[in-house]
Amino acid sequence: MNPNINERLLLFFDSLNVSYRQVEKTLNFSNGTIGKLKKGVFVGSDKLEKISQTYKQLNPIWLLKGTGEMLIGKEPSVVAEPPATYDKTALEMIRDLSAENALLKKEIEELKKGKKED
């Protein structure tokens, strides 16, 4: 079985050996965000980008595609700079998704404003 992104995120968070609540606090996510992952709610690109920026040892190719190793380094820890083996393609994909997410949020706000004016 090839786990999906949510399942891979949970595997990674479990490897950190801290509570899910601590992970949520570290990422500045609301309480229950990881619980939603368990229920199959897709994590948005903004959250994927935050996870990628915070846990630089997490291999973004593994997270997005399920190929390769989960960790770039040997020990789970937050590092200041990504190692030389960091795959730019996956990071670019996350950034593109984040930019698309921002555009969609802006469009939604504009639609909401249009309805209020009616």
Side-chain angles (χ1 to χ4, degrees):
M1 178 181 99
N2 188 15
N4 63 34
I5 290 176
N6 286 17
E7 292 166 330
R8 287 190 292 274
L9 278 172
L10 291 170
L11 286 170
F12 172 70
F13 294 149
D14 288 341
S15 79
L16 297 174
N17 294 318
V18 296
S19 70
Y20 287 155
R21 184 64 196 129
Q22 183 58 48
V23 172
E24 291 168 338
K25 285 181 180 181
T26 299
L27 294 167
N28 200 27
F29 289 172
S30 62
N31 192 11
T33 300
I34 294 176
K36 291 178 185 176
L37 287 175
K38 288 180 167 184
K39 293 178 181 177
V41 176
F42 178 72
V43 64
S45 61
D46 56 331
K47 286 188 173 47
L48 287 175
E49 184 172 19
K50 178 73 173 180
I51 292 165
S52 178
Q53 290 171 348
T54 304
Y55 298 105
K56 297 193 185 280
Q57 78 276 20
L58 176 60
N59 181 347
I61 296 294
W62 175 83
L63 179 60
L64 296 174
K65 297 182 178 182
T67 58
E69 298 297 320
M70 175 173 60
L71 301 177
I72 293 171
K74 292 185 179 180
E75 295 182 35
S77 63
V78 178
V79 294
E81 292 295 323
T85 59
Y86 203 82
D87 191 300
K88 290 182 181 179
T89 305
L91 186 55
E92 289 169 0
M93 288 170 56
I94 291 171
R95 286 183 181 146
D96 288 347
L97 287 170
S98 182
E100 182 179 345
N101 187 44
L103 288 172
L104 289 171
K105 284 181 179 180
K106 184 177 178 181
E107 287 180 24
I108 289 169
E109 287 303 314
E110 289 173 3
L111 287 171
K112 285 180 181 178
K113 286 179 185 177
K115 285 185 178 182
K116 288 180 182 177
E117 292 175 2
D118 290 341

